[in-house]
Amino acid sequence: MSPATDMAVTVGGVRLANPVLAASGTFGYGREYSPYLEPGAIGGLVTKGVSLQPRAGNPPPRIVETACGMLNAIGLANVGLDEFLAHKLPWLTEQPGAVVVNLYGESVGEFAELAQRLGAQPGVDALELNVSCPNVKEGGMAFGCHPGAVGEVTAAAVAGAQGKPVWVKLTPNVSDPAPMALAAAQAGAQAVSLINTLLAMAIDAGTRRPKLANVVGGLSGPAIKPVGLRMVWQVASALKAEHPTVDVVGLGGIMSGIDAAEYLIAGAKAVQVGTASFTDPAAAGRIAAELAAYCTEQGVSAAELSGSLRV
Amino acid sequence: MSLSLKAKVSSNEPVGPEIYLLSLEAPAIADAARPGQFVMLRVSPGPEPLLARPFSIHGADGGKLLILYQVKGKGTKLLTQACPGSELLTWGPLGRGFDLTAERPLLVAGGMGVAPIAFAIEYLCNKFDEVRLLCGVAGTVRHEALIKLFAGRLGSARVKIRYSSEDGSIGRKGLVTDLLKEHFSTSQPLKPDTVLACGPLPMLKAVALLCAEFEVACQTSLEAPMACGVGACLGCAIPAAGGGYLRACQEGPVMEASLVDWEKI
Ligand SMILES: Cc1cc2nc3c(=O)[nH]c(=O)nc-3n(C[C@H](O)[C@H](O)[C@H](O)COP(=O)(O)OP(=O)(O)OC[C@H]3O[C@@H](n4cnc5c(N)ncnc54)[C@H](O)[C@@H]3O)c2cc1C
Ligand SMILES: Cc1cc2nc3c(=O)[nH]c(=O)nc-3n(C[C@H](O)[C@H](O)[C@H](O)COP(=O)(O)O)c2cc1C
Ligand code: FES
């Protein structure tokens, strides 16, 4: 057997034992999946998006399966910051692996306040700003489609975060994500993660009704992987030229270790596993192991694989 | 404790029109299973269909997990093709089951609602000399096999079953709620203290209303589209009586009827 490959990476200011994280909104607050994963199997997790106040979310139906994917319109339902700090974060802090808190505000001021209160928590390793949710009316994607707004939100969060790394989660619902990534980098983000879900819809021809109560929702799962790869490659290339210290975290449709490897090759330093966890609660751990096997076979470390696309 | 495993199919046989009984080798899940809980089952290892399907636990017997399912769409159709010896990714047991501590429980099942109710009956038969079930079906043509299976599995003399059918082919013609109303009106003073119900949503709604009217506690087993089954995706929202939502997979699938907003659901 060949010696163990070095899977550790430093991404967006956070040291990870391996480059696989669980994606926001698909892994709850971590504990939901603890029966299914060995402790330390993944590099860490990104929490469900936290807002200042609790949010009930959208009326059902909120999810629908589509060809090789699914739509969701959860509406950022979450327990709110106080409950998160009191009852979700303490357990998470005790687990091995990085804790990245995904957060969502309806205004620049809310992003700043969230960043400040979460940045003060020793158990939090990084903040991920969700400026890309397609399922809420205020904020969300509205912030993520204009470089100026992305820069403003990022700068406010960075100022509040007391040195804690800030990542910005980008939307694919733009023609070119690179200007948003550059704006985030310029404003002090240490990483950008992409992609969030693609705005989409599904219709029941029998009843002529939309299949989601919200009419539209976000598409995720294997169907979106080619879009994610393209955007990660575009963003990684742009950042390399202008902000080489800012990292890319790649996601969208990762179902296997090979899928994860493809994202690293395209330029990501780390990856996130989302919808795959719904299809197999142990998926994130399995993907980390498969990625390690791939790296061993290729004779490269995870860090070396990153950005190794031969064009 | 819930867990995930590749469960070997021991049998998967039709027991009626479009109705199958699946038996899986999953001792760790079967041993932990309680009536009213469910499992998530991946009918195909590939990306199509992508999501697992939720199924109530119909029985847990010597390490075997029993699932009674009806063919509805592409996932359940594919499931009919699972041969003995093949493996299906399964996780569970999941969710909140029935609270079986009542003194005088009454079970109410509509159609495929018998799947979890049968498991509850097995439990209750260990505790009571007599267990009462009201069972509503569309008609015997569709449900004859189900009734036979039911009678076979629950053949214990302790189970007293009354049927209603929409076409009048078995039991009382009408809906199971007609039976329930009659039962409430005639069973004094030994009126049930709790109703445990599973079936289609309109039935559950009617059962919940009747129970409220007669001041009988009511536990309903609810369905919602699910992605994860473990409380993480928040897809399975059920409108809650006090506003907001409950997760069918976590606060349910069995919920006190009084916790549910039956108008919004
Ligand atoms: C807690 C729970 C327990 C269940 N127990 C049983 C059981 O014991 N026996 C049984 O026959 N059926 C049961 N069902 C319903 C069963 O899950 C659906 O019939 C099945 O998912 C249909 O899948 P399909 O691919 O054949 O249909 P499709 O219509 O092709 O499914 C498409 C999508 O819709 C979802 N969906 C469709 N119908 C339902 C439904 N009624 N409830 C929730 N999601 C649905 C599917 O999961 C899938 O994601 C249960 C549902 C829940 C939530
Ligand atoms: C049910 C669901 C809920 C999600 N919630 C969030 C969220 O709260 N914040 C966020 O930034 N992204 C959220 N996402 C997006 C995912 O983190 C991810 O970007 C997207 O699903 C694409 O990855 P995937 O194809 O691997 O799922 C959610 C996705 C799903 C399916
Ligand atoms: S099915 Fe995912 S939270 Fe209930």
Side-chain angles (χ1 to χ4, degrees):
Chain A
M1 212 177 110
S2 44
T5 309
D6 184 8
M7 294 305 289
V9 292
T10 300
V11 59
V14 183
R15 181 84 180 154
L16 303 178
N18 72 58
V20 178
L21 299 163
S24 177
T26 62
F27 215 69
Y29 301 100
R31 202 166 188 167
E32 291 85 343
Y33 280 95
S34 64
Y36 308 102
L37 259 69
E38 293 293 330
I42 54 177
L45 93 175
V46 187
T47 66
K48 173 72 190 163
V50 181
S51 51
L52 283 176
Q53 301 303 324
R55 290 176 62 100
N58 290 330
R62 294 176 170 185
I63 52 171
V64 59
E65 192 179 52
T66 56
C68 295
M70 64 175 282
L71 304 186
N72 87 80
I74 306 299
L76 290 177
N78 79 94
V79 297
L81 182 62
D82 291 338
E83 170 73 11
F84 173 76
L85 293 178
H87 294 121
K88 306 296 181 187
L89 187 59
W91 182 87
L92 270 178
T93 306
E94 287 167 16
Q95 309 307 308
V99 176
V100 179
V101 179
N102 183 281
L103 55 94
Y104 157 80
E106 286 180 12
S107 64
V108 175
E110 283 193 14
F111 272 104
E113 187 178 344
L114 282 160
Q116 192 166 20
R117 291 186 59 193
L118 285 161
Q121 298 293 324
V124 174
D125 294 294
L127 306 177
E128 184 181 68
L129 313 184
N130 181 3
V131 292
S132 46
C133 181
N135 298 322
V136 289
K137 290 199 175 65
E138 306 83 17
M141 210 168 75
F143 281 121
C145 293
H146 305 285
V150 171
E152 199 186 339
V153 168
T154 308
V158 169
Q162 301 135 68
K164 206 108 310 158
V166 170
W167 301 3
V168 178
K169 177 115 173 235
L170 299 177
T171 177
N173 300 307
V174 291
S175 48
D176 180 4
M180 318 305 148
L182 294 173
Q186 187 71 40
Q190 297 199 33
V192 292
S193 34
L194 69 162
I195 56 176
N196 207 317
T197 55
L198 284 146
L199 192 58
M201 78 186 280
I203 293 173
D204 181 333
T207 60
R208 300 194 201 174
R209 285 175 172 279
K211 289 189 179 177
L212 294 173
N214 193 51
V215 185
V216 297
L219 176 64
S220 66
I224 72 170
K225 192 185 77 171
V227 179
L229 282 173
R230 184 263 295 178
M231 291 195 159
V232 161
W233 176 73
Q234 279 180 320
V235 164
S237 307
L239 285 174
K240 197 169 154 190
E242 295 192 35
H243 293 278
T245 60
V246 176
D247 295 322
V248 177
V249 180
L251 74 157
I254 295 176
M255 301 294 285
S256 70
I258 300 298
D259 293 340
E262 291 170 8
Y263 270 95
L264 295 185
I265 294 166
K269 262 272 184 70
V271 296
Q272 296 178 9
V273 170
T275 301
S277 292
F278 300 159
T279 72
D280 170 1
R286 170 179 54 77
I287 289 167
E290 288 171 1
L291 178 62
Y294 168 87
C295 287
T296 303
E297 188 191 297
Q298 295 282 316
V300 290
S301 69
E304 287 162 351
L305 189 61
S306 185
S308 63
L309 184 73
R310 295 166 178 153
V311 273
Chain B
M1 184 72 159
S2 318
L3 75 164
S4 163
L5 50 82
K6 287 203 171 104
K8 193 175 272 180
V9 175
S10 16
S11 65
N12 184 18
E13 297 288 329
V15 293
E18 309 274 81
I19 297 170
Y20 284 71
L21 183 63
L22 170 69
S23 169
L24 295 170
E25 278 170 41
I29 298 177
D31 291 349
R34 294 288 168 273
Q37 289 189 299
F38 69 101
V39 292
M40 293 295 282
L41 211 113
R42 239 2 243 300
V43 300
S44 147
E48 219 24 65
L50 184 65
L51 299 174
R53 282 8 185 188
F55 294 101
S56 296
I57 297 167
H58 176 57
D61 194 11
K64 299 256 184 1
L65 194 65
L66 298 180
I67 286 165
L68 186 66
Y69 67 95
Q70 184 169 12
V71 179
K72 282 275 182 173
K74 62 172 182 276
T76 43
K77 191 165 202 169
L78 212 58
L79 188 56
T80 64
Q81 289 158 25
C83 303
S86 61
E87 291 182 330
L88 301 171
L89 183 63
T90 308
W91 58 100
L94 302 168
R96 202 173 154 273
F98 291 109
D99 176 350
L100 298 174
T101 56
E103 289 295 314
R104 287 188 306 283
L106 172 68
L107 297 123
V108 180
M112 287 305 291
V114 299
I117 291 289
F119 195 21
I121 289 179
E122 278 180 34
Y123 260 66
L124 293 172
C125 279
N126 292 326
K127 194 170 154 192
F128 298 105
D129 293 335
E130 193 176 278
V131 179
R132 292 190 173 274
L133 167 70
L134 307 182
C135 188
V137 296
T140 39
V141 183
R142 171 134 196 81
H143 288 100
E144 196 170 23
L146 208 58
I147 291 165
K148 256 194 216 147
L149 176 89
F150 212 44
R153 261 173 58 69
L154 303 174
S156 154
R158 295 180 175 196
V159 189
K160 301 276 179 279
I161 310 182
R162 283 193 68 196
Y163 288 102
S164 69
S165 54
E166 286 166 40
D167 66 359
S169 55
I170 181 171
R172 184 188 160 130
K173 185 169 167 48
L175 299 173
V176 75
T177 39
D178 301 334
L179 280 184
L180 182 61
K181 191 162 192 174
E182 189 180 294
H183 189 86
F184 281 159
S185 313
T186 57
S187 59
Q188 305 284 5
L190 286 177
K191 197 172 76 171
D193 58 358
T194 302
V195 164
L196 312 176
C198 187
L201 190 59
M203 174 203 122
L204 291 180
K205 208 166 168 171
V207 168
L209 279 176
L210 261 184
C211 287
E213 187 188 328
F214 284 85
E215 293 175 341
V216 176
C218 179
Q219 299 174 32
T220 51
S221 177
L222 292 159
E223 290 188 8
M226 292 184 175
C228 69
V230 303
C233 73
L234 311 182
C236 60
I238 301 275
Y245 299 96
L246 299 166
R247 292 166 299 177
C249 72
Q250 209 64 22
E251 287 79 47
V254 178
M255 291 181 188
E256 293 284 340
S258 59
L259 297 179
V260 176
D261 184 337
W262 296 98
E263 290 306 311
K264 282 210 191 116
I265 198 171

